[in-house]
Amino acid sequence: MANLDPIEYEQASSTVRAVYDDIMATRKTDWVNNFWKVLAHHPDNLQRLWNNIKQVMGNGALDPLTKELIYVAVSITNNCSYCIASHSASARAKGMSEEQFGELMAVIGLANETNRLAVGYGVPIDEAFLPK
Amino acid sequence: MANLDPIEYEQASSTVRAVYDDIMATRKTDWVNNFWKVLAHHPDNLQRLWNNIKQVMGNGALDPLTKELIYVAVSITNNCSYCIASHSASARAKGMSEEQFGELMAVIGLANETNRLAVGYGVPIDEAFLPK
Amino acid sequence: MANLDPIEYEQASSTVRAVYDDIMATRKTDWVNNFWKVLAHHPDNLQRLWNNIKQVMGNGALDPLTKELIYVAVSITNNCSYCIASHSASARAKGMSEEQFGELMAVIGLANETNRLAVGYGVPIDEAFLPK
Amino acid sequence: MANLDPIEYEQASSTVRAVYDDIMATRKTDWVNNFWKVLAHHPDNLQRLWNNIKQVMGNGALDPLTKELIYVAVSITNNCSYCIASHSASARAKGMSEEQFGELMAVIGLANETNRLAVGYGVPIDEAFLPK
Amino acid sequence: MANLDPIEYEQASSTVRAVYDDIMATRKTDWVNNFWKVLAHHPDNLQRLWNNIKQVMGNGALDPLTKELIYVAVSITNNCSYCIASHSASARAKGMSEEQFGELMAVIGLANETNRLAVGYGVPIDEAFLPK
Amino acid sequence: MANLDPIEYEQASSTVRAVYDDIMATRKTDWVNNFWKVLAHHPDNLQRLWNNIKQVMGNGALDPLTKELIYVAVSITNNCSYCIASHSASARAKGMSEEQFGELMAVIGLANETNRLAVGYGVPIDEAFLPK
């Protein structure tokens, strides 16, 4: 752990406050989660990452809930406790039901199993899956 | 690589054929992809995995396309070439548009970045994300 | 890829040849596999790694075949094609049967699945598993 | 973390109790570890995973202790704290000595090192390791 | 694999060409590597990623060669063949000597070994490493 | 977790004490961190790993700070909390500034993102990156 304390709004520079303000306005909430408050120790990282998240996670060809499910799948596969907690919470806030969560977990678990089997058996890619 | 050749239908035992038949009937196709043909060297594994896939990947609280997107996200994070090829093909077959694929890649990429940052910075989990 | 050609015995320095000789003598074979021939570009790495392998992989409280099975399990989980190929070959040479290989794959696959589920569900460690 | 409390036997549905009963009968114990009690929130996952574990982890061409060692190797490589704790405990219960544990750790560590070196150097697979 | 052909300059839209032009101007070269030409299928991803790379990989408190070494270390640990090839080439172009490459590999290998040992042994973090 | 208590100098065998002494002498400090004190349960592992670390992490073609940055990059990518804490502390002790730490994190994060994109898109390796 890098052991950097979260930087609260009151302590923050104006550059950092501007990002916090944008996070709260975009999310229509009145608080900022610790991920951003720790990143704030390096304002360049804070701004760059927030710009990326804002651009990628909004509505598009995929709806925001589907994007959160994908985020949770990656976070579990990478074993990131913070990310699992925060994106599971976001997914629930965006409507994920308990039944959907159960199916999400089942797919993640099984994909991790078959991934290793395909690699371990060295399965050759089928013609039908190659580009034409 | 385990270097086991795919077992074709003609060479297969009746146990293996029964699984191949069920795969084709379930998917309404007339072919079986190499993953199953290599697993067929160990019929217990073949049957067990197919039973799992059949139970997990069908329609439920999450639709089959969403499940494929989650599968692709895990497979890319785990770096499984075979699985990326096969499940991207399945996702396209189930209606994934090119624009959706682009957004899927963006979410996967960004989740991998923020996962490492959250771990590297040792971000403490917010109260709001803890169970009540 | 680092794109370094394997260094053959004829081209090798005397330091490198001494390691090749020890590899062949220890293994009672007349050839050296590519892993060592590529490491030979950095003789310090070659010597250090060979000393480690020699110390760790021999007979001990665990027999050499069991050690190879563990090596294969790690290599598949890490997705290292070269290592899967070489250590599967070693395991077969040390007596791994086809049936054992099938069970090895089943355990590896299932462990990868339950690993992600335990992390994703955030399962608390049972008292009984904690140190006394 | 998904933050789901373990479901105790008293609170459990009859479907869940049936799985708990089978776990205890199969293992000849009078308790169920948290992994299953959390999975119980999604009875389909509970049943499916238990069926898999029961089928895969019993006696076969590989003995149960060897299977636990493989499980520990995968769990350490995947960084799953819960799984490391539970399967190390199982391995000890099945007879793993302290000396065997030390050798297990040595093989896991070294395999993780050489896996990265083989990938980083891009070592080409030897003819002798390819299928004939 | 997603199986998308690289998009050459001649076929590219003006948006994509503008990014290609900036890549070549920034790097003072007359070609663009395949990573960008494949990302060009999703111009939003192309632009976003290039902006990130340009901002992060230039000169700063860390020199560009050190950044490439870090990039190679991550890419080997993640097993990304394309990234290992491209960032090893960049590191060499920025002055990495063969001896430095050997030491880079040694550190990467050993870090991967001790990472697993620290996790597997569950080593408690020393007071001295905690924040004050 | 393996749940082995750190072995203090006073309890240690003479073999273990000799390694502790060498660690303190090499590092010019009067304490030993927990990693070694837990490894001490298996003196062969303790000695072997310390010999490796001593050989690899000293001054060479790469300076010790650069080696620590690489170590941190691997440890974050592998999600090893202990290793992140200890090697971040070592990097700071060897002169890493807060600004350098911010850039290190930025490179690690971005490398993890582009690694997955290169794999997910199946980007073909450019001729220019292949060996001549």
Side-chain angles (χ1 to χ4, degrees):
Chain A
M1 273 156 285
N3 299 323
L4 299 173
D5 286 326
I7 295 178
E8 301 300 331
Y9 194 91
E10 294 68 33
Q11 317 160 273
S13 68
S14 59
T15 311
V16 167
R17 282 188 186 189
V19 178
Y20 288 4
D21 287 336
D22 194 37
I23 290 172
M24 291 187 285
T26 303
R27 294 179 169 176
K28 304 189 199 330
T29 59
D30 61 356
W31 70 293
V32 170
N33 58 310
N34 283 337
F35 180 72
W36 307 108
K37 290 183 185 163
V38 173
L39 269 181
H41 284 272
H42 304 124
D44 285 355
N45 287 354
L46 175 68
Q47 270 189 316
R48 186 174 61 79
L49 265 299
W50 170 244
N51 287 344
N52 277 274
I53 285 283
K54 197 177 167 183
Q55 185 180 337
V56 168
M57 293 301 288
N59 213 350
L62 296 176
D63 62 279
L65 174 53
T66 299
K67 290 181 178 178
E68 291 295 346
L69 299 178
I70 295 164
Y71 225 108
V72 171
V74 171
S75 301
I76 288 176
T77 303
N78 278 333
N79 209 352
C80 175
S81 302
Y82 183 85
C83 314
I84 298 170
S86 61
H87 288 279
S88 295
S90 296
R92 290 188 198 280
K94 288 175 181 160
M96 180 180 71
S97 69
E98 196 55 36
E99 204 182 346
Q100 287 176 320
F101 180 61
E103 295 189 12
L104 171 65
M105 295 298 279
V107 176
I108 293 170
L110 199 50
N112 273 285
E113 178 167 17
T114 59
N115 280 190
R116 303 319 191 191
L117 292 174
V119 165
Y121 277 112
V123 182
I125 298 181
D126 306 74
E127 286 289 322
F129 297 151
L130 292 175
K132 280 135 222 169
Chain B
M1 271 159 285
N3 300 324
L4 299 174
D5 287 327
I7 295 179
E8 301 300 332
Y9 194 92
E10 294 68 33
Q11 316 160 274
S13 69
S14 59
T15 311
V16 167
R17 281 189 185 187
V19 178
Y20 287 4
D21 286 337
D22 194 35
I23 290 172
M24 291 187 285
T26 303
R27 295 180 168 174
K28 302 190 201 329
T29 58
D30 61 355
W31 71 292
V32 170
N33 58 310
N34 283 337
F35 180 72
W36 306 108
K37 289 183 184 164
V38 173
L39 270 181
H41 284 272
H42 304 124
D44 285 355
N45 288 353
L46 174 68
Q47 270 189 317
R48 187 175 59 80
L49 265 298
W50 170 245
N51 288 345
N52 276 274
I53 284 284
K54 196 176 167 183
Q55 185 179 338
V56 167
M57 293 300 287
N59 215 350
L62 295 176
D63 62 278
L65 174 54
T66 299
K67 289 182 179 179
E68 291 294 346
L69 299 179
I70 294 164
Y71 225 108
V72 171
V74 171
S75 302
I76 288 176
T77 303
N78 277 334
N79 208 355
C80 174
S81 303
Y82 184 84
C83 315
I84 298 171
S86 60
H87 288 279
S88 295
S90 295
R92 289 186 199 281
K94 286 173 183 164
M96 179 180 72
S97 69
E98 195 55 35
E99 206 181 345
Q100 287 177 321
F101 180 62
E103 294 188 12
L104 171 65
M105 295 298 280
V107 177
I108 294 169
L110 200 50
N112 274 285
E113 178 166 19
T114 60
N115 279 190
R116 302 319 190 193
L117 292 174
V119 165
Y121 277 111
V123 181
I125 298 182
D126 306 74
E127 285 290 321
F129 298 149
L130 293 174
K132 280 136 223 168
Chain C
M1 271 158 286
N3 299 322
L4 299 174
D5 287 327
I7 294 179
E8 300 300 333
Y9 194 91
E10 294 68 30
Q11 315 159 276
S13 68
S14 59
T15 311
V16 167
R17 280 188 187 190
V19 178
Y20 288 4
D21 286 337
D22 194 36
I23 291 172
M24 291 186 285
T26 303
R27 295 180 168 175
K28 303 190 200 329
T29 58
D30 61 356
W31 71 292
V32 171
N33 58 309
N34 284 336
F35 180 72
W36 306 109
K37 289 183 186 165
V38 173
L39 270 181
H41 284 271
H42 304 124
D44 284 355
N45 288 353
L46 175 68
Q47 268 188 318
R48 187 174 59 80
L49 265 298
W50 170 244
N51 288 344
N52 276 273
I53 284 284
K54 196 176 167 183
Q55 185 179 340
V56 168
M57 294 301 288
N59 214 350
L62 296 175
D63 62 279
L65 174 54
T66 300
K67 291 183 178 179
E68 291 294 345
L69 299 179
I70 294 165
Y71 225 109
V72 171
V74 171
S75 301
I76 289 176
T77 302
N78 277 334
N79 208 353
C80 175
S81 303
Y82 184 83
C83 316
I84 298 170
S86 60
H87 288 279
S88 295
S90 295
R92 290 187 199 280
K94 288 174 182 162
M96 179 180 72
S97 69
E98 196 54 37
E99 205 181 347
Q100 287 176 320
F101 180 60
E103 294 188 13
L104 171 65
M105 295 299 280
V107 177
I108 294 170
L110 199 51
N112 273 285
E113 178 165 18
T114 60
N115 279 191
R116 303 320 190 189
L117 291 174
V119 165
Y121 276 111
V123 181
I125 298 181
D126 305 75
E127 285 291 320
F129 298 150
L130 292 174
K132 278 137 227 170
Chain D
M1 272 157 284
N3 299 322
L4 299 173
D5 287 328
I7 295 178
E8 301 300 332
Y9 194 91
E10 295 68 33
Q11 315 160 275
S13 68
S14 60
T15 311
V16 167
R17 281 187 186 189
V19 177
Y20 288 3
D21 286 336
D22 194 35
I23 291 172
M24 291 186 286
T26 303
R27 294 180 169 175
K28 304 190 198 331
T29 59
D30 62 356
W31 70 293
V32 170
N33 58 310
N34 284 337
F35 180 72
W36 306 108
K37 289 184 185 164
V38 173
L39 269 182
H41 284 271
H42 303 123
D44 285 356
N45 288 353
L46 175 68
Q47 270 189 317
R48 187 173 59 79
L49 264 299
W50 170 244
N51 288 344
N52 276 273
I53 285 284
K54 196 177 167 182
Q55 185 179 339
V56 168
M57 293 301 287
N59 214 348
L62 296 175
D63 62 280
L65 174 54
T66 299
K67 290 183 178 178
E68 290 294 346
L69 299 179
I70 295 165
Y71 225 108
V72 171
V74 171
S75 301
I76 288 177
T77 303
N78 277 334
N79 209 352
C80 174
S81 302
Y82 183 84
C83 315
I84 298 170
S86 60
H87 288 279
S88 294
S90 296
R92 289 187 199 279
K94 288 174 182 161
M96 179 180 71
S97 69
E98 196 54 36
E99 204 182 345
Q100 287 177 320
F101 180 60
E103 294 189 11
L104 171 64
M105 294 299 279
V107 177
I108 293 170
L110 199 50
N112 273 284
E113 178 166 17
T114 58
N115 279 191
R116 303 320 191 190
L117 292 175
V119 165
Y121 277 111
V123 181
I125 298 180
D126 305 74
E127 286 290 322
F129 298 150
L130 293 174
K132 281 134 221 170
Chain E
M1 275 155 281
N3 299 323
L4 299 174
D5 287 326
I7 295 179
E8 300 301 331
Y9 195 91
E10 295 69 32
Q11 316 160 275
S13 69
S14 59
T15 311
V16 167
R17 281 187 185 188
V19 178
Y20 287 4
D21 286 337
D22 194 36
I23 290 172
M24 291 186 286
T26 303
R27 293 180 169 175
K28 304 190 199 332
T29 58
D30 62 353
W31 71 293
V32 170
N33 58 310
N34 283 337
F35 180 71
W36 307 108
K37 289 184 185 164
V38 173
L39 269 181
H41 283 272
H42 303 123
D44 285 355
N45 288 354
L46 174 69
Q47 269 189 319
R48 187 174 60 79
L49 264 299
W50 170 244
N51 288 343
N52 276 274
I53 285 283
K54 197 177 166 183
Q55 185 179 339
V56 167
M57 293 301 287
N59 214 349
L62 296 175
D63 62 280
L65 174 54
T66 300
K67 290 183 178 178
E68 291 294 346
L69 299 179
I70 295 165
Y71 225 108
V72 171
V74 171
S75 301
I76 288 176
T77 303
N78 277 334
N79 208 351
C80 174
S81 302
Y82 184 84
C83 315
I84 298 170
S86 60
H87 288 280
S88 295
S90 295
R92 289 186 198 279
K94 287 174 183 162
M96 179 179 72
S97 69
E98 196 55 35
E99 204 181 347
Q100 287 177 319
F101 180 61
E103 293 188 13
L104 171 65
M105 295 299 281
V107 177
I108 294 170
L110 199 51
N112 273 286
E113 178 166 17
T114 59
N115 279 191
R116 303 320 191 190
L117 292 174
V119 164
Y121 277 110
V123 181
I125 298 181
D126 305 74
E127 286 291 320
F129 298 150
L130 292 175
K132 279 135 225 169
Chain F
M1 273 157 287
N3 300 322
L4 300 173
D5 287 327
I7 294 178
E8 300 301 332
Y9 194 91
E10 295 67 33
Q11 317 159 275
S13 68
S14 59
T15 311
V16 167
R17 281 188 185 189
V19 178
Y20 288 4
D21 287 336
D22 194 35
I23 291 172
M24 292 187 285
T26 303
R27 294 179 169 176
K28 305 191 199 329
T29 59
D30 61 356
W31 71 293
V32 170
N33 58 310
N34 283 336
F35 180 71
W36 306 108
K37 290 184 186 162
V38 174
L39 270 181
H41 284 272
H42 303 123
D44 285 355
N45 288 352
L46 175 68
Q47 269 188 318
R48 188 174 58 80
L49 265 299
W50 170 245
N51 288 343
N52 277 274
I53 285 284
K54 196 176 168 183
Q55 185 179 340
V56 168
M57 293 302 286
N59 213 350
L62 296 175
D63 62 280
L65 174 54
T66 299
K67 289 182 179 179
E68 290 294 344
L69 298 179
I70 295 164
Y71 225 108
V72 171
V74 170
S75 301
I76 289 177
T77 303
N78 277 336
N79 208 354
C80 174
S81 303
Y82 183 84
C83 316
I84 298 170
S86 61
H87 288 279
S88 295
S90 295
R92 289 187 200 280
K94 288 175 182 161
M96 180 180 71
S97 69
E98 196 54 36
E99 204 180 347
Q100 287 177 320
F101 180 60
E103 294 189 12
L104 171 65
M105 295 299 279
V107 177
I108 294 170
L110 200 50
N112 273 284
E113 177 166 18
T114 59
N115 279 190
R116 302 320 191 191
L117 292 174
V119 165
Y121 277 111
V123 181
I125 298 182
D126 305 74
E127 286 289 321
F129 298 150
L130 293 175
K132 279 136 223 170

